[in-house]
Amino acid sequence: LLLSLQLENKRNGKLQKQICQVVLDHFEKQYSAELGDTWTSVRAVLTYPLCWQHAILLNKFSQTTQLENTLRVRGYHPAFQETLPSLPASLKCFISRAPGRFPAQKHQAGRLKDYYLLNAASLLPVLALEVKDGEDVLDLCAAPGGKSVAMLQCAYPGHLHCNDFDDLRSRWLKQTMESFIPEPLINVITISKLDGREMGDLKPESYDKVLVDAPCSNDRSWLFSSDAQQAALRLIQRKELSTLQFQLLRSALKALRPGGSLVYSTCTLSRAENSDVVNLLLNACSNVLPVDISETARAAAQEFALLSGTQQHELLVLPEEGRPWGPMYIAKLKKV
């Protein structure tokens, strides 16, 4: 395993990505205004992939005891502390302070993977959702499936509906579920390719919990766009994303039962796609209230760098040196 890790790091060193200047220039202008001096340190991490890391989410449905011991010996430690509210003992995620990439496991039909590689901050929306045994849960934009896998590490929902509108991503989602979830539990999972904007009308008041991990302008990947013309087009179309995100949120709210919880998340720093979208929903709908997650934010600040000055129902994880997790925006709402 150590040899594989060394080879992986060596390959990454040779394949240092090229920054797309048109995207960096756009981000420079926008995020300097929105984040102020903080943008300088965030930019340093986002533009240097060799300092990025993978967190290792262990699969409780596989025999991972030996792997857990190996990780601890090699300097990995749990990403989340017991001080975090509603942290299930069954969720085990390990991170290291040192930069490096853990080798990925290939999909093998009929064999469960031992771990899922992900950005540690992407587990925070799942923890904020607080899925409980027996609940009906909707992951509205689920592909590639990491957050759905994480939900199933936390609890045994009565029904988990994993949806993604894109045909290719939906197939990827299905493969992820097959790679991590054992046969009996697969029976409580539904995978669909519905337009998320129509889910509320198709499945009104059907779920106790809904996660909207919305399509967004993924800052990490956009910075390394290989096609400058395509990147420029993306930046023009970026303004339309907030409309889609609002439509998805409103649909999710319709699909939620009264008293149910909704978590909205993105992997962008953009205020227009984050707090502006959530505020728009709060202003447009009288049957939704913000939920205070400041306790979660305080506990998460032990391992993640967070933007200061956010409202009590939201948090934004900022990548920084030594803690390269994020960007990840999270907001929690409740239907009344």
Side-chain angles (χ1 to χ4, degrees), residues 37 43 76 93 104 119 138 171 177 242 246 258 303 305 328:
D37 293 341
R43 180 187 59 203
Y76 282 81
C93 180
N119 187 315
L138 169 63
R171 290 201 297 272
M177 292 295 107
S242 58
F246 173 73
E303 201 62 65
M328 181 59 58

Side-chain angles (χ1 to χ4, degrees), residues 35 120 125 146 152 260 272 293 313 323:
L35 301 176
L152 292 164
I293 58 170
H313 63 274
R323 300 193 291 181

